[in-house]
Amino acid sequence: MASRRMWTPAGLLTLGAGLNLFFVSGRVQPAPLRVPLDSLPRVIAGATGTDIPVSEREQEIAGVTSYVLRDYRVDDASAFGVYVGYYDEQRQGKSIHSPRNCLPGAGWEPVGFRAIPLATPQGEVTVNRYHIVREDEQAIVYYWYQGRGRVANNEYAVKIELLRDAALLGRTEEALVRVVVPVAGNDIAAADSVAATVAAGLVPVVSDLLPTR
């Protein structure tokens, strides 16, 4: 929390101005996926996924280049949801929206948040973990940002790296990856276990879809 307080409004305005400068300059080049997002495995952790369509209007608002949204089920019961939204470039009006801003708008209330380490086949990464509630529903959400050769969770660090890579590499492509696990019977530990397993497996899969660094 202390690190977040270090970011003053003036600092954020300076960062925003810098991002606009590089985006408007035309130095950023779109980066296509190596493999379409819908090649994401249809079966994960024993659950089978069904695609959920997103309206063109919602895609336009999100500014996403490509996406996959799936509900993974076991015996007709929802086990978890996976969303991967890819941006081949980021600029004004076309950039990743943080889930921490979108969740309250969907009626969910965050009641717990922390960054957690996650062991993956590509090494340890850090992701964001939310416990959210809506009326009598609960869910565990893991999400992170992936692209340009790294996995990140801190929104401020992501913006700094975005500015750096736009300036030095002319690249801003990135994916938002999110796993949502319903909490059944108030068993939060079980939902966390599923989320960690699915997230750890997704990191290398998503890496194989994204452009090389």
Side-chain angles (χ1 to χ4, degrees), residues 64-175:
V64 68
T65 304
S66 180
Y67 79 93
V68 60
L69 176 61
R70 286 190 186 145
D71 178 28
Y72 283 82
R73 291 177 168 263
V74 175
D75 297 331
D76 290 331
S78 182
F80 54 87
V82 170
Y83 170 79
V84 182
Y86 179 68
Y87 296 72
D88 62 359
E89 62 173 333
Q90 296 184 76
R91 49 182 166 75
Q92 277 188 299
K94 183 183 177 181
S95 60
I96 295 177
H97 298 257
S98 169
R100 71 170 59 196
N101 298 324
C102 300
L103 288 171
W108 290 96
E109 178 185 356
V111 295
F113 167 79
R114 66 177 183 268
I116 62 170
L118 193 66
T120 82
Q122 293 185 338
E124 186 175 284
V125 301
T126 301
V127 303
N128 294 312
R129 182 263 191 197
Y130 267 101
H131 176 200
I132 59 176
V133 299
R134 183 175 63 184
E135 297 180 354
D136 60 347
E137 297 177 284
Q138 297 185 75
I140 298 298
V141 180
Y142 282 25
Y143 78 88
W144 63 94
Y145 304 89
Q146 192 165 346
R148 306 191 307 281
R150 59 97 183 94
V151 173
N153 72 297
N154 184 290
E155 272 89 357
Y156 299 118
V158 165
K159 293 299 184 184
I160 290 293
E161 292 174 352
L162 185 65
L163 176 59
R164 179 201 64 197
D165 290 349
L168 299 180
L169 306 176
R171 293 174 58 178
T172 59
E173 78 275 0
E174 196 154 29

